[in-house]
Amino acid sequence: MKKLVVLTGAGISAESGISTFRDAGGLWEQYPVEDVATPEGWYRNPALVTQFYNERRKQLLAVNPNYGHIALKELEEYFDVTIITQNVDNLHERAGSKRIVHLHGELMKVCSSKEPNNEHYIQTLSSNNLEVKIGDMAKDGSQLRPFIVWFGEAVPKIEEAVNYCEQADIFIIIGTSMNVYPAAGLIHYVPRNVPIFLIDPNQVLVPSTVKVIQKGASEGMKELKKLLIEEYV
C-alpha cells in the first residue's frame, strides 16, 4: 500500500461548526491569543484559561465529523494513511481514522502544569466530565492544565511528523493557511517527485508543483478521493 500522509488544519473542522482562530469573527477576535494560548496567559489568569477550554470542549461535543474527515477514514481501504493534524479536536478519531499525530495537543486531555508532556500525568476527559476547575490536581500535585501546545512552547510531536513526511508516497494538505510553523515547514520534508495536493477554499501560497483544489474540505475530498483511487491504486 502506498503511504498517504495528510496535514490538516482548522479548515477541515470549520465545516463541522468549530470556530477557527484566525478567520474574521474567529476566536482570536474574541480572546486575545496572549490571554488564552500562552504559558504567560496561564500563569497570569489560570481561571480564565481553564474556562476558555471548558467552553471549547462543550462546543466540540455539539459537532460531528464532516465528509472531509470521513473520506480520510475511507481512504484507509486503499492506502496506508497517516494524519498529521494541527487541530486539537477529536473529529479525526470520531470519524474512525487509525493513525493520527496531534501536533498541537488534544482538547479532551488535561495534564500537569509542571510537566505538560509527562505521560504519567495526562488524563483523558469524558463527555460526562468535561469541566476542569481550579483546584483539580494532576497526580504530581500541580493544577491540571489543558493538554495544548501553546504559543512559545516546543512541539514535541514534530520529529514524528517529519519522519512520516519523509516516507510519504502522496501528500495532502487540507484546510490550513500554511502560516503556522513548524507545521507549515513539513512540506519541505516530503520527497521530491511525490505528488502533493492542497484542498482549501481560500488562496494558499504553495509551490507551483502542488495541485490545488479550491473547495471546502468535504467537496474537495470527494473530488480528490476519486482521483487518488483512479490514479494510484
Side-chain angles (χ1 to χ4, degrees), residues 52-89:
F52 175 80
Y53 289 96
N54 284 341
E55 293 299 324
R56 302 283 71 72
R57 287 184 207 104
K58 285 183 201 162
Q59 180 195 33
L60 176 55
L61 275 197
V63 303
N64 293 303
N66 60 63
Y67 187 69
H69 299 102
I70 293 161
L72 293 176
K73 158 62 182 164
E74 291 173 347
L75 283 170
E76 290 182 3
E77 198 178 324
Y78 307 94
F79 300 96
D80 179 5
V81 180
T82 302
I83 297 169
I84 300 165
T85 187
Q86 299 171 78
N87 300 336
V88 297
D89 62 57

Side-chain angles (χ1 to χ4, degrees), residues 15-72:
E15 272 188 41
S16 291
I18 289 186
S19 301
T20 62
F21 282 91
R22 292 167 185 279
D23 291 344
L27 290 169
W28 289 155
E29 288 186 8
Q30 302 166 47
Y31 298 90
V33 57
E34 57 272 14
D35 287 349
V36 295
T38 62
E40 295 76 17
W42 167 255
Y43 293 125
R44 195 164 51 240
N45 193 343
L48 171 71
V49 176
T50 297
Q51 189 53 36
F52 175 80
Y53 289 96
N54 284 341
E55 293 299 324
R56 302 283 71 72
R57 287 184 207 104
K58 285 183 201 162
Q59 180 195 33
L60 176 55
L61 275 197
V63 303
N64 293 303
N66 60 63
Y67 187 69
H69 299 102
I70 293 161
L72 293 176

Side-chain angles (χ1 to χ4, degrees), residues 129-193:
N129 179 28
L130 289 177
E131 298 224 10
V132 177
K133 302 177 190 67
I134 296 300
D136 291 349
M137 301 299 180
K139 286 179 184 169
D140 65 351
S142 69
Q143 171 66 41
L144 284 173
R145 62 159 262 189
F147 183 57
I148 302 289
V149 177
W150 286 326
F151 289 95
E153 293 185 320
V155 179
K157 298 263 187 177
I158 196 66
E159 291 299 324
E160 185 183 353
V162 165
N163 289 339
Y164 282 120
C165 291
E166 289 174 337
Q167 297 172 45
D169 296 311
I170 303 164
F171 190 68
I172 303 172
I173 303 162
I174 308 173
T176 172
S177 62
M178 298 299 281
N179 285 330
V180 178
Y181 284 84
L186 289 171
I187 192 172
H188 302 303
Y189 292 94
V190 176
R192 291 182 68 172
N193 304 323

